[in-house]
Amino acid sequence: MVSRGFFKNFPAYLLLVMLAQSWANVTNASDSNSILASCWATATLSENVVAVARDEHRWSCSGANQEFSIDAERVLLRFDIPPVQAPVRYLLSRRSAFEALHLLAIDEDGAVRQTSFPAVALRSSMAGGYFKADLPDVTLATRQVIAAVDLPTHKMTLENAYLSPVDSGASAADLRFLLLIAGLAGMLVMPLIFNAAFYRALREPFVLWHSVLTTSLLMTIVVTSGLSVALFDPPAMTLSWMTTLLFGVTISSGAMFTYSFIEPGMMHPLLRRILPYCAAWAVFLSVFHATFPFVARPVQSVVYTAAFGPILAAFVCAMVDSLLRGSRAARFQAIGYAPLALVGLVRLVTGVSPWLHSADAMVLFYFGCMFEVLLTTLGVAERFVTIRRERDRVRNEADLLERLSETDPLTGLLNRRAIERQFEQLREVGFTALAVIDLDHFKAINDGYGHSTGDEVLKAVAAALKAGSNVRACRLGGEEFILLLRGQDVDAQAEFRRQAIPATVANAVPGLAGPVTASMGISAISNVDAFTTVYERADKLLYEAKSAGRNRTRSGIGPTHSSIPAQIDQVMMA
C-alpha cells in the first residue's frame, strides 16, 4: 500500500525536488548583491545611537563568523559599503520580536541620515520569514549603514541581517519559487477533503487531529513564505507571533494525532498518557512566548526552544515503542514525521548552542510538511480501512448472534423472541392474522418412537408451514407453532398449511403408525392489538378446536378479513 501511495503521489515528490532546487537558486540570487554586517556593538537604550556608531572602540569586527549576543538592551550592526557598490535600499532580516529599529546612513564626509521604526510598523518581505525596512537615503558617497535593534529577542535577527538594493522575492526565480510554494499549499488542501469524507463515514478522533495538524502546517507554509505577503501583506510582527502560535498548534496537534492514531495496545500506557500533556505544554509555551516575548529576553528564546526538547524525546520514545510492538500506524507516522523531527532537532541544537548560528531549516521544513501530510494521510486511509473492516466484522458477528438468538435451532424458524420484537413492524406492513398451531398427540410420538424421531417430525412440520413473504412462521416451543399472515384469504392460507402437515410428515418420517395432525386457532390483528392480546385470542380458539375433537380449525376472522364465514370448523378426513 505504501508503494502504491508513492507512485500515486510521485508528482508531489517531484514538486519537492523542484522546490529545493528553486530555493537554492533563489538563495544564490539574493546573496549576489547583498551586504552582510561586518561589525557589531552593544549599548543601552539611553545612549545616543550616533555617538555609539562613531565610537570605534565599541565595535567588534570578527568577520562572517562573529558571534552575536542579545544580552544588551540595544545591539548595533555595521554594514560597510564599498565605493563601487550599487546603492542599497532595504535592510532585511529574520522576523522575531524586538521593540524598535534605528537606521543610520553615514557618508564619507561624516554626514548622517537617520530613520527609526517601531517593530509593529515594519513590513514583511517577499522573502519568506523576513521583514524589510527602508534605509535612509543611500548615495554613492555613503560608506556605512548602521542598524540598531532595541531589545532583540533572538540572535537570528542579528545573524541574518543584510542590505539589498531590492526586496528579496521580487525576481523571476523568486516568483517561480513562490508558485511552487503555492502548489505545495494547494496540495495540502486535498488531505482535508479526504479527512472530511473519512470522518463522515467513521467518526474517529484521529481524523480530526490529522485535519488540525494539516491545517496548521498549511497555515505555517503560508505565514513563513511570501504567500502571506502576496495575498494579505500583514505587518512583519503579526506574522512573527502567528508563526510562534502556529508552531505550538502544530506540535500539539501532532502529539494528539499520535495519541489517537496509534492502535490500542500498541503503545506503552505511560507514553500515551504523556502525549496530551505534551500537547498542552506546547500550546502554553507558544502562547506565552508570543504574548510575553520580553519577560526573560536575553535567554527566553533559548529556554523556549529547549522546552520543546522533552516533547521531541517523548515523541521519539512513543514511535520506537509502537514500532517495537508492531504498530502499522506507527510505520506511516515514523516515516512521515522523520523530516519534521529532523527540522525540530536542527532548530533545537542550533537554538540552544551558543557557538552555532541559529537555523530554522526552512527548505527541509517545506519538504517535511509535504512528506508528513502525504505519509500520514496514507496511514489514516489504511487505518480507516482497517477500522471499517473490523467494525463491519463485529457488526456482522453481532447480527449473526442476534439472528441466532431469534432462531429456533432445530427447525430454523423464528422463535417467540423474534416474533414479539418484530410484531409491531409486521402489523404496520399489512400482516392481519395470527394463527396458533399445535400438533395432536405429539407426546405419543416422543414416547413411542423417541425424541430423535420427534425432532424429525418437527422439522417436517416447519417445512409444511412454508414461511414466505406473506407468511411468517415461528416455533414457540415443544409442538406449538405460530403463523403471521397477510394478503387475501389469510385463514385459507393458514388452513392450507395446517392440512399439508400430515402428508409432509409422512413423506419425511416414514414408518409412523398413523398421520400426524394439528389443531389451529386463528384470530385477526387489529391496528391497536399487542402481540399478547392477539396470541391469547388465537390460543383460546386453538383449545376450542382441541376440545371439539382435534385436527380442525377455529377461526375468529370476520367476513371483512376473509370470504370464509367466521367460526369455521373444518375437519380433514383421514
Side-chain angles (χ1 to χ4, degrees):
M1 182 173 181
V2 176
S3 60
R4 292 199 301 270
F6 176 84
F7 290 109
K8 182 179 179 181
N9 295 287
F10 179 75
Y13 301 135
L14 182 61
L15 175 63
L16 292 173
V17 175
M18 296 170 61
L19 184 68
Q21 181 62 40
S22 296
W23 175 260
N25 294 337
V26 169
T27 302
N28 293 336
S30 300
D31 289 344
S32 61
N33 294 314
S34 63
I35 300 176
L36 302 178
S38 56
C39 302
W40 68 288
T42 60
T44 64
L45 296 180
S46 61
E47 292 182 90
N48 182 273
V49 176
V50 177
V52 175
R54 294 185 185 279
D55 187 353
E56 285 295 331
H57 298 290
R58 304 285 293 268
W59 291 97
S60 172
C61 303
S62 54
N65 295 322
Q66 56 193 335
E67 297 293 336
F68 296 100
S69 172
I70 60 172
D71 292 342
E73 294 178 332
R74 175 178 289 159
V75 179
L76 292 82
L77 303 176
R78 190 172 79 190
F79 301 85
D80 295 325
I81 302 178
V84 295
Q85 174 71 35
V88 290
R89 295 181 55 194
Y90 301 104
L91 169 76
L92 295 97
S93 188
R94 294 294 296 180
R95 295 189 300 250
S96 66
F98 57 89
E99 189 175 83
L101 177 67
H102 310 283
L103 297 173
L104 285 68
I106 304 176
D107 290 346
E108 194 172 23
D109 60 3
V112 177
R113 290 173 297 281
Q114 180 176 353
T115 184
S116 297
F117 302 92
V120 294
L122 292 171
R123 294 177 296 163
S124 298
S125 169
M126 286 293 292
Y130 278 68
F131 70 85
K132 68 178 179 180
D134 294 324
L135 297 175
D137 290 338
V138 176
T139 67
L140 293 176
T142 303
R143 291 295 170 261
Q144 292 179 344
V145 169
I146 306 297
V149 184
D150 291 350
L151 302 181
T153 60
H154 204 293
K155 290 195 300 180
M156 280 201 304
T157 303
L158 309 175
E159 295 168 347
N160 296 341
Y162 67 94
L163 305 182
S164 176
V166 295
D167 178 15
S168 295
S171 67
D174 298 329
L175 293 178
R176 285 196 297 269
F177 175 73
L178 193 61
L179 287 175
L180 288 172
I181 289 289
L184 172 61
M187 293 178 69
L188 293 186
V189 175
M190 296 306 298
L192 296 177
I193 299 174
F194 295 147
N195 285 347
F198 291 154
Y199 192 71
R200 288 189 62 184
L202 194 67
R203 298 185 180 276
E204 288 289 335
F206 67 81
V207 180
L208 294 179
W209 286 117
H210 187 258
S211 297
V212 175
L213 175 61
T214 303
T215 302
S216 66
L217 289 174
L218 173 60
M219 293 181 64
T220 301
I221 290 173
V222 173
V223 168
T224 58
S225 69
L227 286 176
S228 57
V229 182
L231 297 174
F232 313 110
D233 196 19
M237 291 302 105
T238 298
L239 293 180
S240 179
W241 67 257
M242 286 181 64
T243 302
T244 302
L245 292 179
L246 285 171
F247 182 69
V249 173
T250 300
I251 299 300
S252 177
S253 57
M256 292 307 300
F257 174 62
T258 304
Y259 170 81
S260 56
F261 184 54
I262 302 300
E263 305 93 331
M266 292 295 178
M267 184 191 301
H268 193 283
L270 178 60
L271 291 172
R272 197 182 292 271
R273 286 196 299 269
I274 286 174
L275 289 175
Y277 292 101
C278 291
W281 179 240
V283 171
F284 169 77
L285 286 174
S286 296
V287 170
F288 183 87
H289 188 57
T291 308
F292 307 104
F294 303 108
V295 172
R297 184 186 57 83
V299 297
Q300 184 166 329
S301 292
V302 174
V303 173
Y304 167 73
T305 303
F308 282 94
I311 300 177
L312 181 60
F315 170 76
V316 171
C317 290
M319 285 295 97
V320 171
D321 180 70
S322 300
L323 290 172
L324 292 176
R325 292 170 183 259
S327 168
R328 289 181 57 84
R331 298 175 191 174
F332 288 96
Q333 197 171 1
I335 298 173
Y337 273 22
L340 288 182
L342 184 57
V343 170
L345 184 61
V346 169
R347 292 180 177 181
L348 181 64
V349 172
T350 61
V352 301
S353 301
W355 57 87
L356 294 176
H357 280 208
S358 299
D360 51 15
M362 289 308 299
V363 176
L364 182 59
F365 172 76
Y366 291 141
F367 172 80
C369 288
M370 195 65 193
F371 197 73
E372 186 279 332
V373 170
L374 288 176
L375 265 294
T376 53
T377 299
L378 288 175
V380 167
E382 197 269 348
R383 180 80 192 281
F384 171 82
V385 171
T386 300
I387 293 178
R388 187 64 179 267
R389 186 184 299 119
E390 181 65 19
R391 288 194 174 183
D392 289 345
R393 184 186 64 80
V394 172
R395 187 179 292 113
N396 291 337
E397 289 180 355
D399 292 342
L400 176 60
L401 290 174
E402 184 175 0
R403 287 195 299 270
L404 291 175
S405 69
E406 295 183 348
T407 303
D408 176 53
L410 177 64
T411 63
L413 299 179
L414 298 176
N415 59 24
R416 178 164 184 160
R417 177 176 180 271
I419 286 294
E420 287 184 343
R421 187 178 66 83
Q422 300 177 16
F423 180 75
E424 290 188 7
Q425 180 182 359
L426 294 173
R427 184 184 63 191
E428 290 175 359
V429 296
F431 283 81
T432 58
L434 183 147
V436 181
I437 300 174
D438 189 83
L439 300 183
D440 298 327
H441 306 296
F442 182 73
K443 186 177 184 300
I445 296 175
N446 278 333
D447 292 343
Y449 299 93
H451 287 282
S452 60
T453 301
D455 289 345
E456 295 301 317
V457 169
L458 294 174
K459 292 178 184 179
V461 172
L465 296 181
K466 294 181 180 178
S469 60
N470 291 326
V471 179
R472 295 287 189 273
C474 159
R475 181 190 176 201
L476 283 185
E479 67 272 23
E480 190 172 11
F481 297 82
I482 283 180
L483 293 178
L484 268 76
L485 308 102
R486 66 179 173 184
Q488 296 296 320
D489 297 332
V490 290
D491 48 1
Q493 294 183 53
E495 182 62 17
F496 171 78
R497 285 166 169 76
R498 185 190 73 82
Q499 293 186 17
I501 289 174
T504 305
V505 171
N507 289 332
V509 190
L512 296 178
V516 176
T517 62
S519 301
M520 180 173 70
I522 181 170
S523 174
I525 301 174
S526 71
N527 292 332
V528 296
D529 280 338
F531 172 78
T532 53
T533 303
V534 184
Y535 172 73
E536 288 173 358
R537 287 203 302 263
D539 191 56
K540 183 177 180 181
L541 292 169
L542 167 67
Y543 277 94
E544 290 180 7
K546 283 185 173 291
S547 299
R550 292 184 172 83
N551 191 22
R552 66 194 65 215
T553 295
R554 289 293 192 191
S555 175
I557 297 178
T560 58
H561 290 79
S562 174
S563 60
I564 299 177
Q567 298 293 337
I568 60 173
D569 187 350
Q570 298 174 332
V571 180
M572 184 187 75
M573 302 302 295

